Amino acid sequence: QVQLVESGGGLVEPGGSLRLSCAASGRVYAVAWFRRAPGKEREFVGGVDWSGDLTYYADSVKGRFTVSRDDAKNTVTLQMNSLKPEDTAVYYCNAITAVVAGVRYEYWGQGTQVTVSS
């Protein structure tokens, strides 16, 4: 099974930045970042496709967050700039290794805490 390890979370002031990393133990088809804020539903943040050429973002983070991947290192990053208190959440890395007959082979990391506060 593919193992995913997130890192880079922490405490940052509003307007600051953080860079999250998701290291995979093997090749993945696509990777997305999700987050769950306290008392809120899990929501999609951003992702990158298998080629690394297509990225997509939630409207709430578009223009502030950037997803990229380095297949040589099996690593995906989430660069977060201009952070807001509402960005406070546990961030999770989600990887799809294959889609076969409509079935997704999907893995999740353990999550990393991001706290944006003065």
Side-chain angles (χ1 to χ4, degrees):
Q1 294 184 339
V2 173
Q3 301 291 322
L4 303 175
V5 180
E6 300 104 328
S7 62
L11 175 65
V12 65
E13 294 184 351
S17 63
L18 284 173
R19 184 177 64 202
L20 307 184
S21 295
C22 175
S25 62
R27 299 287 184 178
V28 298
Y29 179 79
V31 178
W33 290 91
F34 290 79
R35 67 186 182 187
R36 186 184 296 276
K40 304 294 184 180
E41 297 282 343
R42 183 185 66 187
E43 66 173 346
F44 170 78
V45 176
V48 61
D49 78 335
W50 64 271
S51 71
D53 294 327
L54 295 178
T55 56
Y56 36 99
Y57 304 93
D59 288 340
S60 60
V61 306
K62 192 174 299 182
R64 300 187 297 120
F65 291 10
T66 303
V67 177
S68 61
R69 67 187 297 169
D70 184 347
D71 288 339
K73 299 180 179 179
N74 291 333
T75 300
V76 176
T77 63
L78 177 66
Q79 179 67 47
M80 305 185 296
N81 299 323
S82 301
L83 284 162
K84 305 174 181 179
E86 52 263 42
D87 294 320
T88 296
V90 177
Y91 285 71
Y92 298 91
C93 179
N94 170 264
I96 298 171
T97 60
V99 180
V100 181
V103 178
R104 295 186 301 172
Y105 293 81
E106 184 176 346
Y107 301 88
W108 291 89
Q110 80 288 345
T112 185
Q113 176 71 48
V114 172
T115 302
V116 184
S117 176
S118 298

